[in-house]
Amino acid sequence: MWLLSYCLPQFQYKIPAGTFVASALAIAGAVISSAGVYSFRRARTTVNPLRPDSTTSLVVSGVYSISRNPMYVGFVLL
C-alpha cells in the first residue's frame, strides 16, 4: 500500500485524526485479544488452535459471551 501511494500520489488522501483513529483501533484490538487469552487462561485450557486435543473446557464467559472469536477480531483491529 505504501508503494502504491508513492507511485500514484494523485490517489492519496488524508484522514483527519488518522493517527489517533489508527492508535485507538490498535489499542482496542490488543485489549480484545488479551481478554480472549485471559479467558482461556482463567478456564485453564489451551490457547493453541493446533492442539485441539489439549482443550479441557469450553469457554463461554467473559469476552466470549459477546464474540465467538474475540482473538481474531482483536487481530483484525490490530
Side-chain angles (χ1 to χ4, degrees):
M1 293 305 294
W2 177 82
L3 182 61
L4 187 61
S5 71
Y6 180 76
C7 293
L8 301 169
Q10 67 270 22
F11 293 113
Q12 291 182 2
Y13 62 95
K14 297 286 183 185
I15 298 174
T19 303
F20 173 75
V21 171
S23 298
L25 289 174
I27 291 169
V31 168
I32 291 170
S33 292
S34 298
V37 171
Y38 175 74
S39 293
F40 269 42
R41 296 290 183 212
R42 192 175 60 196
R44 298 179 188 210
T45 189
T46 184
V47 179
N48 188 354
L50 301 176
R51 301 203 40 212
D53 55 328
S54 301
T55 57
T56 58
S57 63
L58 179 64
V59 180
V60 294
S61 62
V63 73
Y64 284 93
S65 65
I66 299 169
S67 173
R68 182 176 175 186
N69 296 309
M71 284 188 261
Y72 293 133
V73 171
F75 289 139
V76 165
L77 291 175
L78 189 60

